[in-house]
Amino acid sequence: MRPEETRFLHQAIEAARRARARGDHPFGAVLVDARGQVLLEGENTVVTQRDCTGHAESNLMRDATKRFSPEELAGTTMYASTEPCAMCAGAIFWGGVRRVVFALSSAQFGAMVGPGAGGLLMSSREVLERGSVPTQVEGPVELQEARDVHAGFWG
């Protein structure tokens, strides 16, 4: 990851802050094209839309596949505040995004929140490495803000 790319992770964390402020789970994602232009942002909507699939990355992929061609999506990168879960990794794969960068890993998240938060605490690499087309996964990228957005939420 290039050092200047951390700004996109910060933008994803800001989306997570907005989701939390609205009453949703604190997760956010940003889709960026090869020129470094932000195409879309995604926020978690699990609580406010009463949709168990309303994760930030899934919401972003739902919008992205409606707006962009498979060829355009193949050249994009998704930046996520926290490592995408198994469901979201599947959506990323099927949507054709071929690079993912995340701040907080699923293991770090699991250690922070403990077993009470539930979830599929597996690495997105475990899902994406089984794809028929390679998807590059980078992370975790150590950013304290990625931890801070979860502080006090899950307890």
Side-chain angles (χ1 to χ4, degrees), residues 98-127:
R98 295 296 170 236
R99 183 170 178 247
V100 178
V101 180
F102 61 86
L104 190 67
S105 74
S106 58
Q108 292 167 318
F109 173 70
M112 281 180 59
V113 302
L120 293 169
L121 301 179
M122 66 186 303
S123 171
S124 59
R125 283 182 178 90
E126 293 177 64
V127 176

Side-chain angles (χ1 to χ4, degrees), residues 36-109:
Q37 299 298 309
V38 173
L39 301 175
L40 292 171
E41 286 188 7
E43 297 176 12
N44 186 287
T45 58
V46 167
V47 176
T48 56
Q49 292 190 11
R50 297 184 60 175
D51 177 2
C52 66
T53 68
H55 293 193
E57 302 90 343
S58 290
N59 287 339
L60 188 149
M61 289 309 304
R62 213 172 281 116
D63 289 345
T65 57
K66 291 176 186 173
R67 295 182 187 196
F68 302 104
S69 71
E71 295 78 22
E72 290 170 309
L73 289 172
T76 63
T77 299
M78 180 185 290
Y79 296 86
S81 62
T82 303
E83 183 174 6
C85 73
M87 174 186 71
C88 292
I92 292 164
F93 175 80
W94 291 114
V97 170
R98 295 296 170 236
R99 183 170 178 247
V100 178
V101 180
F102 61 86
L104 190 67
S105 74
S106 58
Q108 292 167 318
F109 173 70

